[in-house]
Amino acid sequence: MSITTGDFRAKITASTLLEKKQRREIITCLTAYDYASARLVDEAGIDIVLVGDSLAQVMLGYENTLPVTMREMLHHTRAVHRGVKRAFLVADMPFASYHLSQRESLRNAARFIKEAGAEAVKIEGGEKRARLVERMVEAEIPVVGHIGLTPQSVHAMGGYKVQGKTLQAVEQLMHDALALERAGACCVVLEGIPREVAAMITHELEIPTIGIGAGPECDGQVLVFHDLLGLTFSPPAKFVRRYADVGSVISNAVLAFKNDVKSGGYPSDGESYHLPKETLAALQTIRPQQPQNRRLLGAPIAERKRAVPV
């Protein structure tokens, strides 16, 4: 059984995550994409806050994660950084920001650390990314790996499909995980793979595994903030547990606002500002003087004073 130790308010680091695995203490992770959600997640005591490229869909309305840009990811990471005090802040590197040249990849990764306040970057891919991970770690950039169902490879995979179903695929996933660990990754996200495979990888690795659709044997679990709250518009994946239907709460609140405005119920007198008594009294001395009243209300103050009877 896991036993929580240490100060709840203590800053989470890459070293902290490794210590949690060694103590068999479960790691919690959620995505966040703006200041408000980041504060709520951080203050709840979540260990890792991930600025996921899933913001492409849930925040920006793209069909998948591929169109989101470095500029957009940096913008959202900066906002999240301002809301996080305790959690370990990880930022997803978007598609094509680390796929072309090693030099460009390092420059882009460094921007997340230097400009946006991230404490680690996450990249997708296993063995084929090992050398890049090694170079990033050499450049003092902590890296979170991501294997299994990798959304940035949606076209190469032929859709969002569970990975690691054959012996050959299981063997490759194990090679990928070990390669990332040897390269210096601080932890690895396992997405969309059979529970049994995730358990094997978690047992073999010394670094933590964070599961999403990978069963309960991982060292930690991550969900998308909007999935957890019911703020998405498509059917949830099998692994998603909705803890609240915030979407319905928001819809009902918006409808109530609309109805109150149309019926005259909002704003009420108690929700309105009022003139000071002396200003109101002065105004009332002007109002009876018609037809010049309307003209005087738009005139300079000095002219209005001259028009007020003594």
Side-chain angles (χ1 to χ4, degrees):
M1 180 179 294
S2 298
I3 300 176
T4 302
T5 60
D7 186 354
F8 171 80
R9 297 164 297 176
K11 182 71 179 79
I12 301 296
T13 65
S15 297
T16 307
L17 298 176
L18 182 59
E19 292 167 2
K20 283 179 176 287
K21 168 151 184 158
Q22 293 167 347
R23 294 195 301 262
R24 296 188 178 182
E25 180 182 339
I26 298 298
I27 298 166
T28 56
C29 177
L30 280 174
T31 64
Y33 312 105
D34 57 26
Y35 172 77
S37 61
R39 276 202 62 167
L40 291 171
V41 169
D42 187 62
E43 290 174 4
I46 296 297
D47 298 314
I48 303 172
V49 171
L50 170 64
V51 187
D53 59 358
S54 48
L55 72 85
Q57 294 136 300
V58 300
M59 296 294 289
L60 304 179
Y62 293 130
E63 183 179 355
N64 53 47
T65 63
L66 301 181
V68 73
T69 64
M70 275 289 298
R71 182 177 180 179
E72 290 165 335
M73 290 300 304
L74 287 167
H75 170 82
H76 285 272
T77 303
R78 290 188 194 100
V80 170
H81 170 65
R82 290 189 282 269
V84 170
K85 303 300 180 187
R86 172 187 177 272
F88 186 58
L89 180 56
V90 181
D92 259 337
M93 294 191 67
F95 178 70
S97 68
Y98 61 95
H99 298 74
L100 304 178
S101 73
Q102 192 172 99
R103 183 175 182 179
E104 182 181 13
S105 301
L106 288 168
R107 182 185 300 113
N108 287 334
R111 292 188 67 190
F112 279 104
I113 308 298
K114 185 177 179 66
E115 298 177 25
E119 294 163 312
V121 296
K122 181 169 77 64
I123 65 174
E124 297 181 2
E127 280 188 311
K128 61 185 177 183
R129 303 280 181 242
R131 178 54 187 155
L132 176 58
V133 171
E134 188 176 352
R135 287 288 292 112
M136 288 181 175
V137 173
E138 289 172 357
E140 317 300 339
I141 301 171
V143 180
V144 174
H146 184 160
I147 60 175
L149 195 166
T150 47
Q152 292 177 9
S153 305
V154 59
H155 296 318
M157 293 185 301
Y160 299 105
K161 300 177 180 179
V162 175
Q163 304 295 299
K165 288 186 172 182
T166 67
L167 287 177
Q168 183 179 2
V170 171
E171 184 179 17
Q172 183 59 56
L173 283 172
M174 186 63 74
H175 287 317
D176 288 336
L178 291 170
L180 290 171
E181 180 176 76
R182 286 193 294 267
C186 62
C187 57
V188 179
V189 171
L190 306 178
E191 179 172 0
I193 65 175
R195 171 179 181 174
E196 297 82 0
V197 179
M200 290 171 53
I201 294 173
T202 300
H203 178 75
E204 288 295 324
L205 294 187
E206 294 183 6
I207 60 174
T209 60
I210 309 297
I212 177 166
E217 283 80 19
C218 297
D219 297 305
Q221 300 291 331
V222 58
L223 274 180
V224 170
F225 184 79
H226 289 62
D227 286 342
L228 176 147
L229 295 177
L231 284 171
T232 52
F233 299 95
S234 56
K238 179 180 180 178
F239 57 80
V240 171
R241 180 181 297 182
R242 286 188 168 171
Y243 287 83
D245 189 4
V246 176
S248 293
V249 173
I250 293 174
S251 294
N252 291 335
V254 171
L255 286 171
F257 165 76
K258 183 187 75 172
N259 293 334
D260 283 351
V261 170
K262 285 182 173 292
S263 68
Y266 177 82
S268 66
D269 184 67
E271 293 161 326
S272 303
Y273 298 104
H274 296 80
L275 280 171
K277 291 181 180 179
E278 58 274 17
T279 306
L280 182 60
L283 181 63
Q284 288 172 340
T285 64
I286 298 173
R287 290 179 64 185
Q289 300 182 36
Q290 297 292 344
Q292 66 177 0
N293 177 44
R294 293 179 183 174
R295 185 180 69 254
L296 286 172
L297 285 176
I301 293 176
E303 183 178 337
R304 294 185 216 169
K305 288 182 177 177
R306 288 196 299 272
V308 176
V310 177

